[in-house]
Amino acid sequence: MMRNRPPEHLATLLSDLGLEDQVVVFRLRNTPALDATGLGALEDVTNAIRKTGRHVLVCGTRSQPLAVIRRAGFDQRLGKENVCHSVSQALERAAALHAQAPGRPSA
C-alpha cells in the first residue's frame, strides 16, 4: 500500500543525511515480522531516499520479512543485488556503489 506522501519525520531523516551519504542501509536484523503496513512504510521511505539520488540497501532480514519482501516484489523493485544477507555484504555493496558514483575514478 503506497501513500501519497511520506510521513513528516521522513523529512527530518532526509535533511539529516549529508551530501556525502550516497547509500542508506536498512538493517532489519531485529525485525521479526513484517506486514503490509510495514512494507508500505519501507517502500515509502525507500522511494523518498531514491528521489534524492541515493541508493538503498536492506540487510540482515529474517525469514518472515524476507518472504514478504519477495512475495510483494519489493526485492525486484529495490534490485536483488541491494538485498544483502549481512552487514558485511551490505558494506561491500555500498563500497561498490560509492566507487561507481559520478566524479569518482573507477576501481
Side-chain angles (χ1 to χ4, degrees):
M1 171 167 100
M2 299 297 290
R3 292 179 286 282
N4 290 331
R5 62 187 185 100
E8 292 177 18
H9 62 274
L10 180 57
T12 302
L13 170 75
L14 293 174
S15 69
D16 287 346
L17 292 174
L19 293 176
E20 69 281 355
D21 297 323
Q22 299 172 3
V23 181
V24 176
V25 179
F26 288 105
R27 183 175 171 211
L28 300 180
R29 180 182 77 167
N30 294 323
T31 305
L34 188 67
D35 63 7
T37 301
L39 180 62
L42 183 59
E43 288 198 79
D44 287 348
V45 72
T46 296
N47 291 336
I49 291 168
R50 287 174 123 185
K51 284 181 183 176
T52 68
R54 294 175 172 90
H55 299 277
V56 176
L57 308 178
V58 173
C59 75
T61 310
R62 293 183 180 192
S63 59
Q64 190 277 344
L66 185 57
V68 170
I69 286 169
R70 288 180 175 157
R71 191 169 36 249
F74 180 61
D75 61 332
Q76 296 284 338
R77 292 187 293 283
L78 188 61
K80 286 189 175 192
E81 66 279 3
N82 296 323
V83 179
C84 305
H85 295 287
S86 65
V87 171
S88 59
Q89 185 184 20
L91 292 175
E92 288 176 15
R93 174 71 179 142
L97 290 168
H98 186 71
Q100 295 172 5
R104 295 221 177 264
S106 298

